[in-house]
Amino acid sequence: MRDGYIARWKGAEYDSSPDGAHVRLYSPTGGDGFVEVADGRFRRGVPIGELEDFFYVRTVGTWRGEPFLVLGASGDWLRLEYCGGRADVARSLGLEPYDNGVYQIWAPAEEVKDIAEQYL
């Protein structure tokens, strides 16, 4: 599930994060100019003007008729975060309070419908 900044540079897409006039690109395999910052995680800074594209993407879906962000997956389960904004609905669905006004749950993947990426 994609959720975060994506940069396209030299024909490839990378997880990324903005850093002023530069963007940090992240790769699991490294490459020219990438520096290993953790096991299996490499980073390279690129001036924003060199990017072919730069956008934010998140994965959304519906569960039991309500809107959710799809945060991750584990086996046949998806981690969902409610984005309907109604605490009474969150409670009625049995969602777990994660933070003030934030509700999440693990749901069977086959029950999550309309999964799509939103580009912001």
Side-chain angles (χ1 to χ4, degrees):
M1 307 299 138
R2 295 199 308 173
D3 183 30
Y5 287 101
I6 304 294
R8 189 170 301 114
W9 180 67
K10 294 190 176 183
E13 286 189 355
Y14 297 91
D15 290 340
S16 63
S17 61
D19 185 18
H22 289 79
V23 172
R24 293 184 299 265
L25 307 179
Y26 297 95
S27 169
T29 58
D32 184 34
F34 282 83
V35 175
E36 188 169 21
V37 293
D39 285 341
R41 186 153 169 92
F42 298 81
R43 179 182 65 211
R44 176 188 174 134
V46 174
I48 205 163
E50 290 185 18
L51 300 178
E52 296 157 15
D53 202 359
F54 183 64
F55 55 92
Y56 193 92
V57 64
R58 65 183 181 178
T59 304
V60 298
T62 58
W63 180 66
R64 298 187 178 176
E66 296 295 331
F68 285 86
L69 298 175
V70 183
L71 302 177
S74 180
D76 293 334
W77 293 83
L78 296 176
R79 185 67 175 174
L80 305 177
E81 183 172 294
Y82 177 59
C83 54
R86 295 190 48 200
D88 60 324
V89 171
R91 284 190 296 273
S92 73
L93 290 171
L95 304 181
E96 306 156 4
Y98 181 79
D99 199 353
N100 189 23
V102 178
Y103 300 90
Q104 296 183 353
I105 194 166
W106 283 101
E110 75 251 4
E111 292 182 12
V112 181
K113 308 298 180 202
D114 308 315
I115 295 174
E117 288 187 341
Q118 284 184 338
Y119 300 91
L120 307 172

